[in-house]
Amino acid sequence: MSPKLSYKIFTSAASLPQEWDTIAVKNIFLSKSYMQVLESSSPANMECHFVALYKNSILCGIGVVQYINLSRINTFGEEIKKKFSLKDYIFKKFSSHTLILGNNKLTGQNAYLLANTITENEALALFRKTLKKLKKEYLKKCVHINLVSVKDFNQTEFPDFKTAGFKNYYRFCTQPNMIFHIHPEWKDIEDYLTALNTKYRTQYNRARKKAEGVEKRKLTEEDILKHEERIHELYLTVASNAPFNTFFLPKGHFHTLKQQLKENFRFYGYFLNDQLVGFSTLVKNNHDMDTYFLGYDESVQKEKMLYLNMLYDMVAYAVKKDFKHVIFARSAMEIKSSVGARPEEVFGIIKHSNALVNTFMSRLFPYFDPKIEWKQRNPFK
């Protein structure tokens, strides 16, 4: 007798099955607490759906699907000040409404987790039905989904999507996930510095000297609320300069995150003359430490090498606390590689609802995906 496979879609974290976290324990970004963050503090142009998979009425998989309305945002940063951008116009005309199995705010496989009672092909077949169902639900609200995507998988994680029924999807690869591997013999920052070659030890010492006068403080939930306006201003300084944007975080996001994740979320403020000039954030995720969003005052960043010092602080904390990896995610690949991060290619699949447009996806996707030239640095002996 064939097993009975089913799925259920939720929009409220409070209504998730009681046993949800028994599966989510492997990844904090699929936990009930983080789902609550997605529900209550997502970007204005994003809606989140939480998916439970069942086999014979027993929970066996969990996932997250996001709807993103790209018509409500300036997508291409470098063209943000132009009165008219042909690239932006075409992109929004054909790709405004996107449905993603995965988390568009993160890099890496944060789309779903499965128990060992269901195969990946069985689960993907259910997720495919979920996406189809959500497309119909949005159509009832007069929202026509242009793009459907599943992201992010490294080479070894990448599923057999075709077998699971995902036909005519284009496989894509964007900027790599920058991952810092911590050597097990490292116990403190001195061990890390000993492993660097002369050039990059000099870079470290120079950055630390430049940062004299800057005070780093761990901020509490109350502190984050107190500095909320300034935090949002610093965040937007960095986010607005990105070459490609699909969202902007709302003002209270970091406070909500601290409320939900508590000690698993660390917020560090950088102060100069008692003024907040930058911040960095970290999320503890089992053996990994994920870097989250950051912000800084542009002038102070240049003068004090603030961003590079933040990276060194993240490395120092991860080594001290015995994490195995620092997940630095996308963007700023060259400077991240200068502290020791290595690129890991990540892949996804994407399909356009217009069959003709979808036929040319292999040409269109590279046109809209900003290419960034960078040089891999090798700081270790």
Side-chain angles (χ1 to χ4, degrees), residues 78-92:
E78 77 276 5
E79 302 185 37
I80 215 166
K81 295 177 182 176
K82 293 183 179 179
K83 290 183 179 179
F84 177 77
S85 162
L86 180 61
K87 183 191 283 189
D88 202 47
Y89 172 78
I90 296 172
F91 184 83
K92 286 177 179 174

Side-chain angles (χ1 to χ4, degrees), residues 211-257:
E212 287 178 0
V214 176
E215 180 191 357
K216 176 188 167 190
R217 302 177 195 166
K218 184 173 77 172
L219 269 58
T220 64
E221 187 182 321
E222 293 73 22
D223 294 330
I224 295 169
L225 189 60
K226 175 185 173 183
H227 294 284
E228 192 170 78
E229 291 286 341
R230 178 60 171 162
I231 288 168
H232 193 60
E233 180 185 347
L234 295 172
Y235 158 72
L236 287 177
T237 298
V238 175
S240 300
N241 286 326
F244 186 82
N245 279 307
T246 55
F247 65 87
F248 290 102
L249 296 174
K251 190 179 295 181
H253 181 80
F254 298 108
H255 181 250
T256 302
L257 199 61

Side-chain angles (χ1 to χ4, degrees), residues 144-185:
H144 181 74
I145 299 296
N146 306 117
L147 286 171
V148 176
S149 180
V150 189
K151 65 176 282 286
D152 287 318
F153 305 86
N154 64 29
Q155 191 71 54
T156 57
E157 294 168 338
F158 198 79
D160 186 353
F161 283 108
K162 289 183 179 178
T163 303
F166 287 83
K167 297 177 181 178
N168 301 319
Y169 277 74
Y170 169 68
R171 172 170 154 152
F172 65 88
C173 178
T174 56
Q175 293 179 30
N177 191 2
M178 298 301 292
I179 300 178
F180 183 93
H181 298 267
I182 297 168
H183 293 212
E185 65 270 20

Side-chain angles (χ1 to χ4, degrees), residues 60-166:
C60 59
I62 58 175
V64 61
V65 177
Q66 293 176 338
Y67 161 71
I68 305 172
N69 184 351
L70 295 173
S71 68
R72 297 179 59 186
I73 196 165
N74 290 308
T75 310
F76 296 96
E78 77 276 5
E79 302 185 37
I80 215 166
K81 295 177 182 176
K82 293 183 179 179
K83 290 183 179 179
F84 177 77
S85 162
L86 180 61
K87 183 191 283 189
D88 202 47
Y89 172 78
I90 296 172
F91 184 83
K92 286 177 179 174
K93 185 168 179 63
F94 292 100
S95 308
S96 283
H97 305 288
T98 301
L99 208 56
I100 297 173
L101 174 56
N103 192 330
N104 200 47
K105 296 195 290 183
L106 305 170
T107 305
Q109 208 295 69
N110 298 290
Y112 58 80
L113 282 172
L114 308 176
N116 57 15
T117 53
I118 188 171
T119 68
E120 190 160 45
N121 271 1
E122 287 174 329
L124 285 171
L126 287 175
F127 283 127
R128 184 171 57 84
K129 290 179 181 179
T130 302
L131 292 167
K132 190 175 180 180
K133 170 76 170 173
L134 285 170
K135 281 184 71 176
K136 288 181 179 178
E137 291 299 315
Y138 276 102
L139 196 56
K140 289 178 184 176
K141 296 184 281 188
C142 298
V143 175
H144 181 74
I145 299 296
N146 306 117
L147 286 171
V148 176
S149 180
V150 189
K151 65 176 282 286
D152 287 318
F153 305 86
N154 64 29
Q155 191 71 54
T156 57
E157 294 168 338
F158 198 79
D160 186 353
F161 283 108
K162 289 183 179 178
T163 303
F166 287 83

